[in-house]
Amino acid sequence: MKHRIVVLGAGYAGAFAAGNLARRLSGADIEITVVNAVPDFVERMRLHQLAIGQDLTFRKLDSVFAGTGVRLRMARVTGVDPERRTVAVTGEDGDGELAYDTLLYALGSSVARHGVPGVAEYAFDVTGRSSALRLRERLAGLGEGGTVLVVGEGLTGIETATEFAESRPDLSVALAARGEPGAWLAPKARRHLRSAFDRLGITVHEHTGIEAVEPTRAIAADGTSIPADVTVWTAGFAVHPIAAASGLEVAETGQIVVDRTMRSVSHPDVYAAGDCAYAIGDNGRLLPMSCGSAGYTNMQATAAIIARLTGSEVQTTGLKYYGNHISLGRRDAIFQMVDGDVRSKSWYLGGKAAARLKSGVLKGAGWAIVHPTFGMPKRRRRLATAPDRAGARVAA
């Protein structure tokens, strides 16, 4: 019988990993199933563009995986049983169950509301396609002089605020930050960011924590009321509680605790990649939830899965950041180089050149996803051992 690999999630981590596994392992020995709740590959890094009204093309996952041997199961994951090695799903065909021999958990993350009153009821976010479309509809109905407050000074918050301000100069856009936006950047890059805010007319509320969101305003920790016809919440990410409920070992964040090869420390048949993996980088620090981490962790996970199934030595891939790309609208950006401890170097690239570089990175990531196997090779690796359905682990 074939070795069953199930990949949960077809985002940046899951889609690329599935294609890489199909490209490098023999179809005579394995079957790969990808479970995803929506039919399209969603470029999460572009969702703020979708929200402000820009037209984006979403690739159908069935066409992405056509001819690769990867099976697509359109369904929502409702549970994982790592002892029985099964995944519970629900979709248009009703409830079901998938059995696996190797599981790659890559369900990603959603918005973290931090228990702030009113966020769930009144705030919008750009962490998913449906939520971005909901925000798009609201912004389309907002007339001249409407107020938009973006909460969060991270990369998503900065990119969202600048994109909105550039695309809709008729709106009054503000950014609420617990600290200083771009505080991690080098001094020259911080000045570039501040200049972009000024040029785009963005009001920045520094050292302002938001304690409540209401229909037409947000309330700061000091009691200040900030007008907001629309509040966009970008104050962090949270993972789905499925992993914690399954009995897998998780961190306080709910992320799956993995070893250096992205293998679950509690269940060796399970690997994690992307935002749901509690992975330590080469500098000894926790990898942040980001597209970059999705790339690093999925490459390490697939390398480990392939090596163990084919009886090869597991090679470690790099888990090191080299810099941050920050879009500031369509015509401006910042590329900040960092050292091994993720401290900003003095050099940075800004302006149109950085914008072209960021655009190239996005296009490259999108191309890699929609060409998941890069053209199937003529020779693919065979498995060293057949799976033992009675419960024995494969190629430990």
Side-chain angles (χ1 to χ4, degrees), residues 12-335:
Y12 289 105
F16 187 88
N20 198 23
L21 290 167
R23 180 171 67 93
R24 297 174 61 188
L25 292 172
S26 173
D29 295 335
I30 64 164
E31 61 180 38
I32 301 171
T33 302
V34 175
V35 182
N36 203 57
V38 297
D40 307 318
F41 170 69
V42 177
E43 291 186 82
R44 189 171 183 175
M45 291 191 294
R46 292 184 183 271
L47 288 180
H48 57 291
Q49 296 175 243
L50 178 68
I52 199 58
Q54 297 174 26
D55 293 326
L56 303 179
T57 300
F58 293 93
R59 291 293 192 98
K60 296 292 183 183
L61 288 170
D62 55 3
S63 65
V64 168
F65 292 122
T68 66
V70 175
R71 301 177 180 180
L72 179 63
R73 177 71 178 267
M74 294 304 308
R76 181 171 56 87
V77 178
T78 58
V80 174
D81 186 337
E83 304 306 325
R84 294 176 55 238
R85 287 186 281 183
T86 59
V87 176
V89 299
T90 185
E92 293 183 355
D93 299 330
D95 297 340
E97 190 174 79
L98 294 173
Y100 66 83
D101 299 300
T102 296
L103 179 70
L104 178 56
Y105 190 109
L107 289 178
S109 62
S110 59
V111 64
R113 299 186 174 95
H114 303 297
V116 176
V119 172
E121 296 84 358
Y122 306 118
F124 296 80
D125 67 81
V126 290
T127 58
R129 182 181 177 183
S130 60
S131 59
L133 288 173
R134 175 172 164 262
L135 174 56
R136 180 187 178 112
E137 182 179 3
R138 178 69 180 96
L139 291 172
L142 202 59
E144 183 175 355
T147 54
V148 178
L149 175 66
V150 179
V151 180
E153 68 269 30
L155 301 184
T156 303
I158 292 172
E159 294 195 338
T160 299
T162 52
E163 194 77 46
F164 286 11
E166 180 184 83
S167 298
R168 290 287 304 274
D170 60 311
L171 300 179
S172 177
V173 179
L175 177 71
R178 284 190 173 275
E180 175 191 356
W184 69 94
L185 297 170
K188 289 183 179 179
R190 287 201 301 272
R191 289 195 292 271
H192 186 109
L193 177 61
R194 179 64 63 177
S195 176
F197 286 152
D198 292 342
R199 171 174 54 82
L200 294 168
I202 298 171
T203 301
V204 179
H205 301 279
E206 292 187 353
H207 307 291
T208 302
I210 299 301
E211 297 296 319
V213 175
E214 298 180 359
T216 59
R217 66 175 185 168
I219 309 300
D222 62 1
T224 300
S225 174
I226 303 176
D229 295 316
V230 176
T231 297
V232 185
W233 195 262
T234 67
F237 303 105
V239 299
H240 199 284
I242 287 176
S246 72
L248 292 164
E249 183 172 336
V250 299
E252 291 183 2
T253 59
Q255 295 168 288
I256 298 171
V257 180
V258 295
D259 63 16
R260 181 58 177 76
T261 69
M262 302 303 125
R263 194 182 207 180
S264 165
V265 298
S266 62
H267 293 79
D269 296 318
V270 178
Y271 293 77
D275 289 354
C276 58
Y278 191 86
I280 305 302
D282 291 343
N283 59 6
R285 299 180 181 179
L286 177 67
L287 290 178
M289 296 186 187
S290 68
C291 180
S293 295
Y296 300 141
T297 55
N298 95 70
M299 287 189 288
Q300 178 60 82
T302 53
I305 291 170
I306 292 165
R308 290 187 173 115
L309 292 182
T310 58
S312 306
E313 181 180 355
V314 177
Q315 301 294 322
T316 57
T317 62
L319 300 176
K320 178 182 178 181
Y321 273 84
Y322 294 93
N324 291 125
H325 295 87
I326 311 172
S327 294
L328 305 174
R330 295 298 86 208
R331 296 180 293 275
D332 192 8
I334 291 172
F335 175 56

Side-chain angles (χ1 to χ4, degrees), residues 313-372:
E313 181 180 355
V314 177
Q315 301 294 322
T316 57
T317 62
L319 300 176
K320 178 182 178 181
Y321 273 84
Y322 294 93
N324 291 125
H325 295 87
I326 311 172
S327 294
L328 305 174
R330 295 298 86 208
R331 296 180 293 275
D332 192 8
I334 291 172
F335 175 56
Q336 175 67 68
M337 295 290 291
V338 299
D339 62 18
D341 292 321
V342 200
R343 293 175 301 197
S344 295
K345 296 183 178 181
S346 60
W347 180 88
Y348 89 102
L349 180 67
K352 292 181 179 180
R356 288 193 294 268
L357 178 60
K358 177 62 181 288
S359 177
V361 169
L362 291 173
K363 289 179 180 177
W367 187 94
I369 295 298
V370 300
H371 297 83

